[in-house]
């Protein structure tokens, strides 16, 4: 029973790491897409092209939201060190 629970925990950890890596790589691709969309937003475009750019912007925003949800399954980043006052203790 204990071994099965350990195996299950190990499988979940592997899946979490995989999800985190995939989210990271996908986020890098989205960064390029959002940068290109930003450039296009300043350009004079025909109405049908502006509509296409807006559709890509909406899709990229949804993809970014899905990436954030996927990252929730990955390992959490360690908390940044912080100074504390020990006082009289």
């Amino acid at each position: 029973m204990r071994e099965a629970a350990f195996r299950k925990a190990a499988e979940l950890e592997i899946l979490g790491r995989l999800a985190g890596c995939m989210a990271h790589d996908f986020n890098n691709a989205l960064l390029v897409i959002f940068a290109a969309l930003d450039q296009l937003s300043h350009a004079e475009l025909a109405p049908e092209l502006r509509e296409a750019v807006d559709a890509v912007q909406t899709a990229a925003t949804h993809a970014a939201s899905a990436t954030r949800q996927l990252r929730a399954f990955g390992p959490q980043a360690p908390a940044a060190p912080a100074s504390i006052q020990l006082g009289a203790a």
Side-chain angles (χ1 to χ4, degrees):
M1 181 84 163
R2 214 181 274 166
E3 288 180 29
F6 179 75
R7 274 194 304 272
K8 186 66 172 179
E11 289 173 6
L12 290 174
E13 180 182 0
I14 290 168
L15 285 174
R17 288 181 187 272
L18 178 61
C21 289
M22 289 179 65
H24 178 76
D25 290 345
F26 196 62
N27 214 28
N28 287 342
L30 283 171
L31 181 65
V32 174
I33 292 168
F34 278 118
L37 288 168
D38 185 55
Q39 289 290 316
L40 287 170
S41 72
H42 300 296
E44 291 291 327
L45 299 174
E48 62 273 2
L49 289 178
R50 174 64 55 204
E51 201 171 298
V53 168
D54 290 343
V56 172
Q57 175 79 41
T58 299
T61 301
H62 289 316
S65 176
T67 300
R68 280 190 297 277
Q69 292 173 5
L70 188 59
R71 289 189 71 186
F73 291 103
Q76 302 301 313
S83 297
I84 58 171
Q85 295 295 327
L86 295 178

